[in-house]
Amino acid sequence: MSRFAAAVAVATALLSGAAVAQPAKPTIVFVHGAFADSSSWNGVIADLQREGYKTFAVANPLRSVTNDARTVSDVVGSIEGPVVLVGHSYGGQVISNAAKGHANVKSLVYVAAFAPDAGEAAAELAGKFPGGTLGDALAPPVKLTDGGVDLYIDQAKFRDQFAHDVPAGQTALMAAGQRPITEAALTEKSGEPAWKSLPSYFVYGDGDKNIPAEALGFMAERAGSRRTIVVEGASHVVMVSQPQVVADLIEEAAQ
């Protein structure tokens, strides 16, 4: 082979390798909200893992915005490469605060989630528009030794309030295994939100009884959502009832 032919062969091989090289897919980090747990993401995670995404579902403590955001921030800081943060319900407030200071976070996905501005609290935003019925569905508060209280949804009211589009047998298990949130976490003011500097995406159901659809639409528009999906009739746990819809939006945010 002549020197010229050899050089052409090497160049062709290099170009061919460059053509097939693909940037690493982001790691998808999930943050559940109140009255749920990490298993609420199982359907979405299964879809994304089939597409080759690494996933991490954080056990959100649900103690305070500051503490919970620190927990998620620590997880993000341990991950090499790009990250997409996904938050459900109160978890949206957590990712809005946890993303700050992490250059590897490329986008935020809000799933029936709060996206508060600085100085706003989840409870305040939930009551900003009519339609929410969470207050009437709560069980008697559990008093804590530190003087605070934990909040649960009454198991008898759980399906109608939280997950009316999920099979009854599944919601019975969800109700029994729900994670409580402190009242203080729902009333804690948010810091400067990351959605002001990062691309955000929103998906929610117009049948949500925890956060009124009007409030969710208001927050999506205010955050300049790149894409907002409203699922007709879906409950507050749209990621459980419609996992493929949520997974597809996350993939869009990961591009």
Side-chain angles (χ1 to χ4, degrees):
M1 181 183 293
S2 69
R3 290 182 178 179
F4 176 76
V8 170
V10 171
T12 300
L14 289 173
L15 288 172
S16 176
V20 298
Q22 297 292 330
K25 289 185 175 182
T27 298
I28 315 300
V29 175
F30 296 89
V31 182
H32 67 80
F35 319 117
D37 63 16
S38 292
S39 69
S40 61
W41 297 112
N42 284 354
V44 178
I45 288 173
D47 288 335
L48 291 173
Q49 287 182 341
R50 281 192 291 269
E51 297 300 321
Y53 287 92
K54 293 181 180 179
T55 56
F56 193 112
V58 180
N60 187 1
L62 304 174
R63 300 296 86 189
S64 73
V65 175
T66 301
N67 174 76
D68 301 342
R70 185 183 302 117
T71 297
V72 175
S73 176
D74 289 344
V75 170
V76 172
S78 73
I79 297 172
E80 294 185 6
V83 167
V84 173
L85 275 174
V86 184
H88 171 240
S89 193
Y90 163 80
Q93 182 170 0
V94 174
I95 67 170
S96 297
N97 287 270
K100 292 179 293 183
H102 293 288
N104 60 330
V105 177
K106 65 177 298 177
S107 57
L108 307 169
V109 181
Y110 293 87
V111 181
F114 291 106
D117 202 345
E120 292 179 337
E124 173 189 347
L125 283 166
K128 190 178 182 71
F129 298 94
T133 56
L134 176 61
D136 293 333
L138 293 175
V142 175
K143 295 181 180 179
L144 304 175
T145 55
D146 64 4
V149 297
D150 263 351
L151 302 177
Y152 292 83
I153 294 177
D154 186 328
Q155 291 192 32
K157 300 176 180 178
F158 187 92
R159 184 168 189 259
D160 181 65
Q161 175 63 37
F162 200 68
H164 63 257
D165 52 352
V166 178
Q170 185 176 354
T171 57
L173 296 175
M174 292 168 63
Q178 65 179 290
R179 293 274 308 283
I181 189 168
T182 64
E183 185 178 47
L186 293 177
T187 56
E188 183 178 341
K189 304 294 186 182
S190 191
E192 190 70 14
W195 53 256
K196 289 188 175 180
S197 58
L198 290 172
S200 62
Y201 299 76
F202 285 73
V203 55
Y204 59 90
D206 64 8
D208 196 319
K209 296 180 181 179
N210 270 37
I211 310 174
E214 191 176 355
L216 292 162
F218 163 77
M219 288 183 281
E221 183 176 358
R222 181 176 64 177
S225 175
R226 296 286 184 91
R227 180 168 169 79
T228 300
I229 298 174
V230 183
V231 182
E232 184 178 357
S235 71
H236 190 54
V237 288
V238 64
M239 71 285 193
V240 178
S241 63
Q242 300 287 336
Q244 189 64 61
V245 172
V246 176
D248 287 348
L249 183 64
I250 293 170
E251 283 205 76
E252 183 176 334
Q255 300 304 315

